[in-house]
């Protein structure tokens, strides 16, 4: 039970800190809309991401998180295994969902009341019922990977 609580605490801590940092970076302008970063859009990115372009900011932040979560391997603190990799990928998927939600909740320009398709234009094309499509897809996948990481 302790290992699950530690995972959850690590997830909430990292997600909260990153959301707060991203609020400082983006302010009220979601999806790096006012940042000096490159953007790439094509028919396939519009199908995959809706109104969101692939941005240099988001690509490099996501790659940084992927590398950071694998640092224990590179530092010799952990041995690669299928279970560890599943847990890392689980953490990564759940991190992005929780962090994104907290960006709205903690952002003085939004808050929970403005967590909707009307105010989050970058999520609007892929808004399913009460939250973005990505939350519906990544949350169960992240939880499944987490459960598989512990095996029997």
């Amino acid at each position: 039970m302790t290992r699950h609580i530690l995972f959850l605490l690590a997830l909430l801590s990292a997600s909260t800190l990153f959301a707060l940092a991203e609020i400082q970076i983006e302010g009220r302008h979601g999806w790096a809309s006012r940042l000096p970063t490159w953007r790439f859009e094509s028919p396939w990115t519009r199908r995959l991401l809706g109104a969101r372009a692939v941005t240099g900011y988001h690509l490099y932040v996501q790659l940084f998180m992927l590398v950071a979560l694998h640092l224990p391997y590179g530092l010799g603190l952990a041995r690669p295994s299928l279970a560890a990799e599943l847990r890392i990928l689980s953490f990564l998927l759940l991190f992005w969902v929780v962090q994104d939600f907290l960006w709205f909740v903690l952002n003085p320009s939004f808050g929970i009341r403005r967590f909707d398709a009307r105010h989050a234009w970058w999520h609007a094309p892929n808004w399913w019922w009460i939250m973005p499509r990505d939350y519906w897809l990544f949350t169960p996948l992240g939880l499944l990977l987490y459960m598989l990481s512990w095996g029997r």
Side-chain angles (χ1 to χ4, degrees):
M1 185 61 143
T2 303
R3 62 188 181 203
H4 304 306
I5 292 170
L6 290 174
F7 182 90
L8 182 61
L9 288 174
L11 178 66
L12 292 173
S13 299
S15 299
T16 301
L17 290 171
F18 193 88
L20 290 168
E22 195 170 49
I23 290 165
Q24 295 301 306
I25 293 166
E26 292 181 318
R28 62 186 173 99
H29 307 288
W31 204 255
S33 61
R34 299 269 175 104
L35 295 183
T37 185
W38 57 259
R39 297 170 199 302
F40 175 75
E41 290 184 80
S42 72
W44 70 267
T45 61
R46 280 189 284 285
R47 277 193 293 280
L48 186 64
L49 300 174
R52 298 175 293 183
V54 175
T55 71
Y57 169 75
H58 288 98
L59 176 67
Y60 296 127
V61 161
Q62 290 181 16
L63 290 173
F64 171 79
M65 284 300 300
L66 185 64
V67 169
L69 289 171
H70 285 87
L71 281 177
Y73 298 156
L75 297 174
L77 300 172
R79 295 178 61 119
S81 68
L82 178 59
E85 195 61 31
L86 290 173
R87 205 160 310 135
I88 287 170
L89 294 176
S90 165
F91 186 93
L92 193 61
L93 289 173
L94 296 171
F95 169 83
W96 288 122
V97 171
V98 174
Q99 178 276 328
D100 189 75
F101 179 68
L102 289 174
W103 184 93
F104 288 96
V105 172
L106 301 174
N107 192 324
S109 298
F110 284 89
I112 193 74
R113 292 177 190 235
R114 296 183 80 191
F115 180 66
D116 57 39
R118 192 179 87 200
H119 292 99
W121 60 265
W122 55 97
H123 281 306
N126 294 316
W127 196 275
W128 294 356
W129 188 39
I130 59 170
M131 59 190 178
R133 172 197 64 184
D134 296 351
Y135 293 21
W136 292 105
L137 299 176
F138 295 153
T139 301
L141 181 56
L143 293 173
L144 175 64
L145 293 174
Y146 183 75
M147 289 187 297
L148 290 173
S149 78
W150 290 106
R152 300 185 220 288

